[in-house]
Amino acid sequence: MQAASPEIKTQLQSRLSRIEGQARGVKKMLDEDRDCREVLQQLNAMNAAIQNATRLYMRAYARECLLNDAAPDDRALVVDELLDLMERVR
């Protein structure tokens, strides 16, 4: 089973590249002994970017994997699996 469509995969890879850039930026800020508030602001931005990437992928997973692989009688199992995943991702 494919984990995500090519479009979602491209979007996710783009987001992850930006997150990598943010991480390199934070490391540079630390090397430069930048103000703590600035570093925390950038870490918070990274966290938000990671959460957004996770939501994008989770939505794709729910649409493309759970729904496509589930038999019509397994709706309750699909909902349970999605809810379990949402709890773990928090």
Side-chain angles (χ1 to χ4, degrees):
M1 148 181 58
Q2 190 175 356
S5 69
E7 179 183 332
I8 296 296
K9 194 174 189 179
T10 299
Q11 288 179 27
L12 188 61
Q13 288 171 333
S14 175
R15 289 173 187 238
L16 292 173
S17 292
R18 272 186 255 134
I19 293 165
E20 282 179 327
Q22 287 175 308
R24 284 190 299 275
V26 170
K27 286 175 67 175
K28 185 177 178 185
M29 291 173 80
L30 292 172
D31 290 340
E32 296 170 351
D33 292 325
R34 296 277 293 271
D35 183 71
C36 296
R37 289 176 291 253
E38 293 176 21
V39 173
L40 286 171
Q41 183 177 2
Q42 290 306 310
L43 288 171
N44 189 47
M46 280 179 55
N47 187 37
I50 291 168
Q51 288 176 351
N52 288 333
T54 301
R55 278 194 289 276
L56 171 73
Y57 198 76
M58 188 181 329
R59 185 180 301 269
Y61 171 73
R63 286 183 178 157
E64 298 173 12
C65 298
L66 285 179
L67 289 179
N68 289 339
D69 290 343
D73 296 341
D74 292 339
R75 286 187 201 159
L77 293 175
V78 169
V79 170
D80 286 342
E81 185 174 343
L82 182 58
L83 291 173
D84 289 344
L85 178 64
M86 290 170 66
E87 286 177 13
R88 286 193 303 263
V89 170
R90 287 174 153 192

